[in-house]
Amino acid sequence: MKDQANVLSGFNGVLAPGVKPALLVIDFQRGFTEAGVSPLASDCSAAIASTNRLIAALRETGPVIFTVVGYSANYADIGCWMQKCQSLSTLVRGTAACELDPRLDFDAQRDLILHKTQASAFFGTALPGILAAAHCDMLVVAGCTTSGCVRASVVDAMQYGFPPFVVRDCVTDRSAAQHESNLIDMSSKYAEVVAIDAMLAELGSIAGQQLPA
């Protein structure tokens, strides 16, 4: 899905899959996935269902990390972002908007939740150190939104040296146009964008076993 103009400009490389994957599930929290909880919400049902397939496949081969974006009640930690998006004010820590979507196969005994205040999962969090300690050489990415926190995290993943693999069935956006445009751009410059069946096959190869469909 690489844009032809980018290919002709030299943006035509391919990231090689690694052997130490980690899964990053970005902001599938009720404020983004459940109507009525926040104006930021949209229908993420299909992406969440596909993400659960990824979680089941990856738990035996690497860490599964979830992020939640949220703020203190006085917004002292939001910076200037709310000047552009006033609906971020609905994402207050301790409220329903900052709870993981209950449809996710989150395991509190095995998985990790990172709390963030900005778009990138790397900004102001322990994520780089966690991935380095796990010897991660392949970051599988799911979550929302494609044009926002997913893209920001993918760009930082590349810059920190953790090759990102975006599973297109597992990311979503309020805008279909922005979703597709950002998938094309990430594929051209910053990541591999792959279908879930291809990613499950790759994870099966890494784990040395057939994974469930």
Side-chain angles (χ1 to χ4, degrees):
M1 67 182 306
K2 295 184 186 294
D3 177 75
Q4 187 62 21
N6 277 318
V7 169
L8 293 173
S9 298
F11 291 96
N12 56 359
V14 177
L15 295 171
V19 296
K20 293 284 188 178
L23 174 59
L24 181 64
V25 182
I26 300 170
D27 298 355
F28 272 154
Q29 60 196 78
R30 293 176 62 192
F32 288 110
T33 66
E34 186 175 325
V37 174
S38 167
L40 297 163
S42 61
D43 184 8
C44 300
S45 301
I48 289 173
S50 292
T51 297
N52 282 335
R53 297 176 66 196
L54 271 187
I55 293 170
L58 214 142
R59 267 214 187 97
E60 302 308 316
T61 58
V64 178
I65 303 164
F66 297 79
T67 71
V68 169
V69 60
Y71 306 99
S72 62
N74 65 3
Y75 306 112
D77 51 356
I78 202 169
C80 61
W81 198 5
M82 197 160 62
Q83 295 177 37
K84 288 295 291 183
C85 182
Q86 295 179 2
S87 293
L88 290 173
S89 64
T90 61
L91 304 181
V92 175
R93 286 191 295 274
T95 68
C98 291
E99 296 173 356
L100 285 179
D101 190 294
R103 294 171 292 180
L104 287 168
D105 289 335
F106 170 72
D107 184 341
Q109 301 302 313
R110 305 179 68 181
D111 303 334
L112 175 67
I113 299 178
L114 288 180
H115 296 274
K116 65 187 182 74
T117 62
Q118 303 301 317
S120 172
F122 289 85
F123 187 90
T125 76
L127 183 58
I130 292 167
L131 297 178
H135 305 288
C136 174
D137 59 6
M138 176 182 183
L139 186 62
V140 182
V141 180
C144 66
T145 57
T146 312
S147 62
C149 295
V150 169
R151 180 194 169 92
S153 300
V154 161
V155 172
D156 274 357
M158 176 65 87
Q159 294 175 150
Y160 274 100
F162 302 107
F165 290 74
V166 179
V167 184
R168 63 171 302 127
D169 310 79
C170 300
V171 294
T172 188
D173 203 296
R174 288 175 293 275
S175 164
Q178 286 184 309
H179 172 75
E180 290 298 332
S181 173
N182 278 272
L183 286 177
I184 291 169
D185 198 53
M186 285 188 288
S187 176
S188 295
K189 302 185 181 85
Y190 307 113
E192 294 304 311
V193 176
V194 300
I196 186 167
D197 288 339
M199 179 53 66
L200 291 175
E202 185 62 45
L203 294 173
S205 175
I206 292 170
Q209 61 183 3
Q210 185 65 41
L211 296 172

